[in-house]
Amino acid sequence: MEEPPDLQFRSLLLKIDGELGSEEVAALKFLCSDFIRAKKLQDVQSAEKIFQLLIEQEKLSEEKPFLLAELLYLIGQCSLLRFINYTKEHVIAHLPSQGTVSPFRKLLYEISENTGRSE
């Protein structure tokens, strides 16, 4: 018996969550802070919960998975794109037209990552 499509998508989100550590979850929280109120994000400990909040905000769905692809690309987890049938090249090609994370938020994230690496 096959799972309903929504259940399949949530199962994929759980698999992705299982591959991410606390640093990646913190990065996702930061990158999603324009979409999800800080109060809701402050106690989040898992990527699964972030995905759920994005679904509630209608920013993420099985039909609209690009935000997830963009987030995985930005946090350097391109190997996980396979779960949602994306490639790094596909994400890069579609970022100009489908990208959702603000350039300012991406810049702040890159600065924080570069600062953390140089210390």
Side-chain angles (χ1 to χ4, degrees), residues 24-76:
E24 288 93 358
V25 172
L28 290 174
K29 286 170 67 169
F30 178 78
L31 291 168
C32 291
S33 59
D34 289 337
F35 312 121
I36 303 167
R37 289 193 326 252
K39 185 174 177 131
K40 285 190 173 192
L41 278 175
Q42 84 184 25
D43 295 327
V44 168
Q45 300 295 319
S46 70
E48 178 193 12
K49 182 61 178 172
I50 294 170
F51 302 152
Q52 179 59 42
L53 292 169
L54 290 171
I55 289 168
E56 289 171 11
Q57 295 289 324
E58 298 182 359
K59 296 285 185 187
L60 177 63
S61 68
E62 186 173 19
E63 297 78 29
K64 296 186 325 184
F66 191 79
L67 176 57
L68 177 56
E70 179 181 9
L71 292 168
L72 291 173
Y73 169 75
L74 291 172
I75 66 170

Side-chain angles (χ1 to χ4, degrees), residues 68-118:
L68 177 56
E70 179 181 9
L71 292 168
L72 291 173
Y73 169 75
L74 291 172
I75 66 170
Q77 294 295 319
C78 294
S79 66
L80 301 179
L81 292 170
R82 71 185 185 280
F83 287 114
I84 53 172
N85 298 318
Y86 276 84
T87 64
K88 179 180 177 179
E89 294 74 23
H90 184 266
V91 174
I92 291 169
H94 289 85
L95 271 175
S97 62
Q98 293 182 342
T100 307
V101 178
S102 76
F104 180 68
R105 179 114 352 238
K106 287 189 260 190
L107 179 63
L108 289 175
Y109 176 70
E110 288 175 26
I111 290 170
S112 72
E113 285 297 290
N114 290 336
T115 302
R117 285 191 198 119
S118 65

Side-chain angles (χ1 to χ4, degrees), residues 12-29:
L12 290 175
L13 296 178
L14 270 174
K15 286 179 185 176
I16 292 170
D17 174 66
E19 298 287 327
L20 298 174
S22 59
E23 286 184 22
E24 288 93 358
V25 172
L28 290 174
K29 286 170 67 169

